[in-house]
CSV table of all heavy atoms in Angstrom, one decimal:
chain,number,residue,atom,x,y,z
A,280,ALA,N,164.8,148.8,219.1
A,280,ALA,CA,164.0,147.9,218.2
A,280,ALA,C,165.0,147.0,217.4
A,280,ALA,O,165.0,145.8,217.3
A,280,ALA,CB,163.0,148.5,217.3
A,281,HIS,N,166.0,147.8,216.8
A,281,HIS,CA,167.0,147.1,216.0
A,281,HIS,C,167.8,146.1,216.8
A,281,HIS,O,168.1,145.0,216.4
A,281,HIS,CB,167.9,148.1,215.3
A,281,HIS,CG,167.3,148.7,214.0
A,281,HIS,ND1,167.1,148.0,212.8
A,281,HIS,CD2,166.7,149.9,213.8
A,281,HIS,CE1,166.6,148.7,211.9
A,281,HIS,NE2,166.3,149.9,212.5
A,282,GLU,N,168.1,146.5,218.0
A,282,GLU,CA,169.0,145.7,218.9
A,282,GLU,C,168.2,144.4,219.3
A,282,GLU,O,168.8,143.3,219.4
A,282,GLU,CB,169.4,146.4,220.2
A,282,GLU,CG,170.4,147.5,219.9
A,282,GLU,CD,170.7,148.4,221.1
A,282,GLU,OE1,170.3,148.1,222.2
A,282,GLU,OE2,171.4,149.4,221.0
A,283,ILE,N,166.9,144.6,219.5
A,283,ILE,CA,166.2,143.4,219.9
A,283,ILE,C,166.0,142.4,218.7
A,283,ILE,O,166.2,141.2,218.9
A,283,ILE,CB,164.7,143.8,220.3
A,283,ILE,CG1,164.7,144.7,221.6
A,283,ILE,CG2,163.8,142.7,220.5
A,283,ILE,CD1,163.5,145.4,222.1
A,284,VAL,N,165.9,143.0,217.5
A,284,VAL,CA,165.8,142.1,216.3
A,284,VAL,C,167.2,141.4,216.2
A,284,VAL,O,167.2,140.2,216.0
A,284,VAL,CB,165.5,142.9,215.1
A,284,VAL,CG1,165.7,142.1,213.9
A,284,VAL,CG2,164.1,143.4,215.2
A,285,GLU,N,168.2,142.2,216.4
A,285,GLU,CA,169.6,141.7,216.2
A,285,GLU,C,169.8,140.6,217.1
A,285,GLU,O,170.3,139.5,216.7
A,285,GLU,CB,170.5,142.9,216.4
A,285,GLU,CG,172.0,142.5,216.2
A,285,GLU,CD,172.3,142.4,214.7
A,285,GLU,OE1,171.5,142.9,213.9
A,285,GLU,OE2,173.2,141.7,214.4
A,286,ARG,N,169.5,140.8,218.5
A,286,ARG,CA,169.8,139.8,219.5
A,286,ARG,C,169.1,138.6,219.2
A,286,ARG,O,169.5,137.4,219.4
A,286,ARG,CB,169.5,140.4,220.8
A,286,ARG,CG,169.4,139.4,222.0
A,286,ARG,CD,170.7,139.1,222.6
A,286,ARG,NE,171.2,140.2,223.4
A,286,ARG,CZ,170.8,140.2,224.8
A,286,ARG,NH1,170.3,139.2,225.3
A,286,ARG,NH2,171.2,141.3,225.4
A,287,ASN,N,167.8,138.7,218.8
A,287,ASN,CA,166.9,137.5,218.7
A,287,ASN,C,166.9,136.9,217.3
A,287,ASN,O,166.2,135.9,217.1
A,287,ASN,CB,165.6,137.8,219.2
A,287,ASN,CG,165.6,138.1,220.7
A,287,ASN,OD1,165.9,137.3,221.5
A,287,ASN,ND2,165.4,139.4,221.1
A,288,LYS,N,167.6,137.5,216.4
A,288,LYS,CA,167.7,137.0,215.1
A,288,LYS,C,166.4,136.5,214.4
A,288,LYS,O,166.3,135.4,213.9
A,288,LYS,CB,168.7,135.8,215.1
A,288,LYS,CG,170.1,136.2,215.7
A,288,LYS,CD,171.1,135.2,215.3
A,288,LYS,CE,172.6,135.7,215.5
A,288,LYS,NZ,172.7,136.3,216.9
A,289,GLY,N,165.4,137.4,214.6
A,289,GLY,CA,164.2,137.1,213.9
A,289,GLY,C,163.3,136.1,214.7
A,289,GLY,O,162.3,135.7,214.2
A,290,GLY,N,163.8,135.7,215.9
A,290,GLY,CA,163.1,134.7,216.7
A,290,GLY,C,161.7,135.2,217.2
A,290,GLY,O,161.3,136.4,217.0
A,292,VAL,N,159.6,136.6,219.4
A,292,VAL,CA,159.5,137.4,220.7
A,292,VAL,C,158.1,137.8,221.0
A,292,VAL,O,157.4,138.1,220.1
A,292,VAL,CB,160.5,138.6,220.7
A,292,VAL,CG1,162.0,138.1,220.5
A,292,VAL,CG2,160.2,139.6,219.6
A,355,VAL,N,160.5,133.9,223.8
A,355,VAL,CA,161.4,134.9,224.4
A,355,VAL,C,160.5,136.1,224.7
A,355,VAL,O,159.8,136.7,223.9
A,355,VAL,CB,162.5,135.4,223.4
A,355,VAL,CG1,163.2,136.6,223.9
A,355,VAL,CG2,163.4,134.2,223.1
A,385,VAL,N,163.9,135.6,229.2
A,385,VAL,CA,163.3,136.9,229.5
A,385,VAL,C,164.4,138.0,229.3
A,385,VAL,O,165.5,137.8,229.9
A,385,VAL,CB,162.7,137.0,230.9
A,385,VAL,CG1,162.1,138.3,231.1
A,385,VAL,CG2,161.7,135.9,231.1
A,386,GLN,N,164.2,138.9,228.5
A,386,GLN,CA,165.1,140.1,228.3
A,386,GLN,C,164.4,141.3,228.8
A,386,GLN,O,163.2,141.4,229.0
A,386,GLN,CB,165.4,140.2,226.9
A,386,GLN,CG,166.2,138.9,226.3
A,386,GLN,CD,166.2,138.9,224.8
A,386,GLN,OE1,165.8,139.8,224.1
A,386,GLN,NE2,166.7,137.7,224.3
A,387,LEU,N,165.2,142.3,229.1
A,387,LEU,CA,164.7,143.6,229.7
A,387,LEU,C,165.1,144.8,228.8
A,387,LEU,O,166.3,145.0,228.5
A,387,LEU,CB,165.2,143.7,231.1
A,387,LEU,CG,164.8,145.0,231.8
A,387,LEU,CD1,163.3,145.1,232.0
A,387,LEU,CD2,165.5,145.1,233.2
A,401,ARG,N,170.1,143.4,235.5
A,401,ARG,CA,170.7,144.4,234.5
A,401,ARG,C,169.8,144.3,233.2
A,401,ARG,O,169.3,143.3,232.9
A,401,ARG,CB,172.2,144.1,234.2
A,401,ARG,CG,172.3,142.7,233.6
A,401,ARG,CD,173.6,142.5,232.8
A,401,ARG,NE,173.6,141.2,232.2
A,401,ARG,CZ,173.0,140.9,231.1
A,401,ARG,NH1,172.5,141.9,230.4
A,401,ARG,NH2,173.0,139.7,230.6
A,402,PRO,N,169.7,145.5,232.6
A,402,PRO,CA,168.9,145.5,231.4
A,402,PRO,C,169.7,145.0,230.1
A,402,PRO,O,170.9,145.0,230.1
A,402,PRO,CB,168.7,147.1,231.2
A,402,PRO,CG,169.9,147.7,231.8
A,402,PRO,CD,170.4,146.8,232.9
A,403,ASP,N,168.9,144.5,229.2
A,403,ASP,CA,169.5,144.0,227.9
A,403,ASP,C,169.6,145.1,226.9
A,403,ASP,O,170.4,145.2,226.0
A,403,ASP,CB,168.7,142.8,227.4
A,403,ASP,CG,168.8,141.6,228.4
A,403,ASP,OD1,169.8,141.0,228.4
A,403,ASP,OD2,167.8,141.5,229.1
A,404,PHE,N,168.5,146.0,227.0
A,404,PHE,CA,168.4,147.1,225.9
A,404,PHE,C,168.1,148.4,226.7
A,404,PHE,O,167.1,148.4,227.5
A,404,PHE,CB,167.3,146.8,224.9
A,404,PHE,CG,167.3,145.4,224.4
A,404,PHE,CD1,166.4,144.4,224.9
A,404,PHE,CD2,168.3,145.0,223.5
A,404,PHE,CE1,166.5,143.1,224.5
A,404,PHE,CE2,168.4,143.6,223.1
A,404,PHE,CZ,167.4,142.8,223.5
Side-chain angles (χ1 to χ4, degrees):
Chain A
H281 279 286
E282 286 173 10
I283 292 169
V284 172
E285 185 69 24
R286 165 85 74 95
N287 295 294
K288 302 197 166 51
V292 299
V355 173
V385 181
Q386 299 166 3
L387 176 60
R401 62 164 183 79
D403 298 281
F404 315 104

